[in-house]
């Protein structure tokens, strides 16, 4: 097998020139001083500030002695009407309670009276034990049909020893062989210039707020002394509303209308249940299992342990395929990009004309009427007498002398 790859055969070595490093100019500090002026200090001049009186009236702590006339707008504007009262549409009250005394009996008490217990006769057959004397057959299909075969010894496959390659390894990659750096302009640094010396002065701690906004003198607030607490002399009534009004009257507990259950007492305990009485053991005979007839003849020879790949696969020598990749003609030069597109070739600039509907009175048109939808219809001056004309649309703005103009009011 050849030791060439498609990358080694198609990409040949080229000469690589060393990269030239750009040398920067030496920094020269400026001798001028910074004026430390801002746009705010230049454009916003200070003005004399005077205190503005508050618009909110002051709160009067002393009430007026005059009585206030309070008449809301609802009572003044919405007065009741002098109309007769409507009679309600009600049905006549024809119900008359019965004069007979209520007996306090329910439908359940009338329809379901208390009845005595009914003695029933049991129709269950007597429980007779039925024993089977046939012994259990412990022969199964597995015991009858299984044939034990001798197990052969497992063959252990020995792995082949590793043989290192005698050809030395080339420390070359596709990037090292094929890539060639192209010359280009070095990147420009966007780093700002270093801080020039002379700006080590301490920062002024005075601000515009401290200079112009001084504290106003505030008058002393009037505070009223709190009233001293005087504890009551009487003792507190610790009774609640429930304890005072809801007392326990002398009453009789309600009687139960449910009949008392009669417990049947007997000396002998009946331990039979419905399942024991109804579900008895049946007299049945054991059926023999249905065994399938063997139709497969097992081989007497042992298994050869060969797979389809080991039995039929034949190794073939590798075939060197021919590469269909076109030959590389070399690096392409710096060819300028063609700056022509379909838009730059086929685009024709047109003049943008103003829409006639944007004028308050369109030039070359006279007002005719307002239609039912509220549109103002204008007619050209040349066709003021002819009634046959159509409305002007956006596509017909180039020929306004032969169309009508419709404007929304």
């Amino acid at each position: 097998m050849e030791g060439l790859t498609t990358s080694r055969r198609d990409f040949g070595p080229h000469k690589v020139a060393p990269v030239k490093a750009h040398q920067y100019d030496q920094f020269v500090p400026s001798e001028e001083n910074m004026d430390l002026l801002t746009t705010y200090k230049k454009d916003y001049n200070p003005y004399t500030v005077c205190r503005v009186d508050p618009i909110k009236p002051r709160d009067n702590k002393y009430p007026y002695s005059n009585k206030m006339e309070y008449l809301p707008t609802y009572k003044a504007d919405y007065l009741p009407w002098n109309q007769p009262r409507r009679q309600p549409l009600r049905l006549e009250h024809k119900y008359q309670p019965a004069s007979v005394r209520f007996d306090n009996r329910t439908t359940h008490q009338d329809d379901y009276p208390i009845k005595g217990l009914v003695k029933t006769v049991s129709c269950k057959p007597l429980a007779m034990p039925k024993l089977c004397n046939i012994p259990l057959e412990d022969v199964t299909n597995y015991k009858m049909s299984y044939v034990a075969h001798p197990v052969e010894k497992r063959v252990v496959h020995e792995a082949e020893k590793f043989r290192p390659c005698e050809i030395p390894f080339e420390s070359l990659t596709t990037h090292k062989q094929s890539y060639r750096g192209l010359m280009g302009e070095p990147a420009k640094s966007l780093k700002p210039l270093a801080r020039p010396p002379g700006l080590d002065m301490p920062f002024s701690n005075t601000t515009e707020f401290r200079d112009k906004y001084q504290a106003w003198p505030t008058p002393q607030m009037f505070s009223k002394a709190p009233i001293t607490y005087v504890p009551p002399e009487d003792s507190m009534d610790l009774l609640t509303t429930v304890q005072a009004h809801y007392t326990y009257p002398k009453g009789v507990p309600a009687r139960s209308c449910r009949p008392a259950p009669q417990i049947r007492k007997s000396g002998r305990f009946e331990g039979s249940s419905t399942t024991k009485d109804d579900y008895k053991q049946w007299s049945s005979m054991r059926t023999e299992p249905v065994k399938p007839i063997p139709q497969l003849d097992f081989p007497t020879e042992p298994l050869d342990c060969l797979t389809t790949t080991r039995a039929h696969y034949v190794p073939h020598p590798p075939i060197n395929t021919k590469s269909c990749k076109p030959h590389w003609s070399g690096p392409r030069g710096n060819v300028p990009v063609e700056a022509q597109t379909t838009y730059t070739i086929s685009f024709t600039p047109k003049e943008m004309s103003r829409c006639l509907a944007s004028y308050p009175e369109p030039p070359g048109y006279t007002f005719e009427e307002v239609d039912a939808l509220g549109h103002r219809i204008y007619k050209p001056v040349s066709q003021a007498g002819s009634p046959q004309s159509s409305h002007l649309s956006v596509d017909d703005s180039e020929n306004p002398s032969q169309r009508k103009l419709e404007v929304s009011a």
Side-chain angles (χ1 to χ4, degrees):
M1 184 176 179
E2 297 182 7
L4 294 177
T5 60
T6 309
S7 178
R8 293 182 181 179
R9 182 172 53 195
D10 297 342
F11 297 94
H14 297 277
K15 296 180 180 180
V16 181
V19 180
K20 295 181 180 181
H22 178 71
Q23 297 181 359
Y24 297 94
D25 298 337
Q26 188 176 2
F27 173 72
V28 179
S30 178
E31 298 178 357
E32 298 178 358
N33 295 328
M34 188 174 181
D35 53 359
L36 300 176
L37 291 177
T38 61
T39 310
Y40 189 85
K41 291 183 178 181
K42 288 183 179 181
D43 299 341
Y44 294 91
N45 301 324
Y47 295 96
T48 56
V49 182
C50 59
R51 186 172 182 178
V52 181
D53 296 334
I55 301 175
K56 183 179 179 182
R58 297 183 62 182
D59 296 336
N60 191 3
K61 298 182 180 180
Y62 303 98
Y64 294 98
S65 60
N66 300 333
K67 186 177 181 181
M68 180 180 175
E69 296 180 0
Y70 44 90
L71 183 63
T73 309
Y74 188 86
K75 289 185 178 180
D77 296 343
Y78 294 91
L79 302 177
W81 292 358
N82 298 325
Q83 289 185 357
R85 186 176 180 181
R86 294 182 180 180
Q87 297 296 332
L89 301 177
R90 297 179 181 176
L91 299 177
E92 296 181 3
H93 186 68
K94 298 181 180 180
Y95 173 74
Q96 294 180 0
S99 59
V100 185
R101 185 179 177 182
F102 189 63
D103 55 355
N104 295 330
R105 290 185 61 84
T106 60
T107 310
H108 185 82
Q109 295 177 358
D110 296 339
D111 297 344
Y112 297 92
I114 300 174
K115 300 179 181 180
L117 299 177
V118 180
K119 295 182 179 181
T120 58
V121 181
S122 178
C123 300
K124 294 186 292 185
L126 298 177
M128 298 296 293
K130 297 180 180 180
L131 302 177
C132 184
N133 299 326
I134 302 175
L136 181 66
E137 184 178 359
D138 59 344
V139 180
T140 60
N141 297 341
Y142 186 80
K143 292 181 179 181
M144 296 175 61
S145 304
Y146 178 74
V147 179
H149 297 280
V151 182
E152 296 182 357
K153 188 177 181 180
R154 184 177 180 182
V155 180
V156 181
H157 177 72
E158 296 182 359
E160 298 180 359
K161 295 182 178 180
F162 174 73
R163 297 179 181 179
C165 184
E166 300 177 356
I167 303 174
F169 184 73
E170 298 180 3
S171 60
L172 295 177
T173 60
T174 309
H175 185 80
K176 292 182 179 180
Q177 292 182 356
S178 306
Y179 178 73
R180 299 292 179 266
L182 301 179
M183 297 298 294
E185 297 181 0
K188 297 180 181 180
S189 177
L190 300 177
K191 184 179 180 181
L193 299 177
R195 186 179 181 183
L199 298 180
D200 300 334
M201 298 173 61
F203 189 74
S204 178
N205 58 352
T206 60
T207 60
E208 182 185 3
F209 186 84
R210 294 180 180 179
D211 296 342
K212 296 184 179 181
Y213 294 91
Q214 304 298 334
W216 296 97
T218 55
Q220 186 178 2
M221 299 296 295
F222 174 76
S223 60
K224 185 179 179 180
I227 304 173
T228 58
Y229 172 72
V230 179
E233 299 178 357
D234 300 335
S235 59
M236 183 177 178
D237 188 8
L238 300 177
L239 291 177
T240 61
T241 308
V242 178
Q243 295 176 358
H245 299 286
Y246 294 91
T247 59
Y248 298 94
K250 297 180 180 179
V252 181
R255 296 182 179 179
S256 177
C257 297
R258 183 178 180 181
Q262 297 180 5
I263 302 174
R264 184 178 180 181
K265 296 181 180 180
S266 60
R268 180 176 174 274
F269 178 74
E270 186 178 357
S272 62
S273 62
T274 308
T275 306
K276 290 182 180 180
D277 297 340
D278 297 343
Y279 294 91
K280 301 297 180 179
Q281 185 178 4
W282 294 358
S283 57
S284 59
M285 300 297 292
R286 180 181 177 84
T287 58
E288 296 182 358
V290 179
K291 300 179 181 179
I293 300 173
Q295 299 179 0
L296 179 64
D297 298 335
F298 294 96
T300 57
E301 299 179 359
L303 187 67
D304 55 357
C305 298
L306 286 178
T307 60
T308 309
T309 305
R310 292 181 181 179
H312 301 283
Y313 178 73
V314 180
H316 298 281
I319 302 174
N320 188 13
T321 58
K322 183 179 180 181
S323 177
C324 298
K325 186 177 181 180
H327 183 68
W328 186 51
S329 60
R332 189 177 180 183
N334 297 329
V335 181
V337 182
E338 184 179 358
Q340 290 185 357
T341 60
T342 309
Y343 183 79
T344 55
I345 296 173
S346 59
F347 176 72
T348 305
K350 297 180 181 180
E351 182 181 358
M352 299 294 293
S353 58
R354 183 178 177 183
C355 182
L356 297 176
S358 61
Y359 291 96
E361 293 293 337
Y365 289 86
T366 57
F367 175 73
E368 182 181 358
E369 60 179 354
V370 179
D371 59 356
L373 300 177
H375 298 162
R376 299 171 59 89
I377 300 176
Y378 292 83
K379 185 177 293 186
V381 178
S382 60
Q383 297 181 3
S386 60
Q388 297 180 356
S389 59
S390 60
H391 296 279
L392 181 64
S393 61
V394 179
D395 300 334
D396 300 334
S397 61
E398 299 179 358
N399 192 8
S401 60
Q402 299 179 3
R403 303 288 182 183
K404 264 190 176 182
L405 180 63
E406 181 180 350
V407 181
S408 300

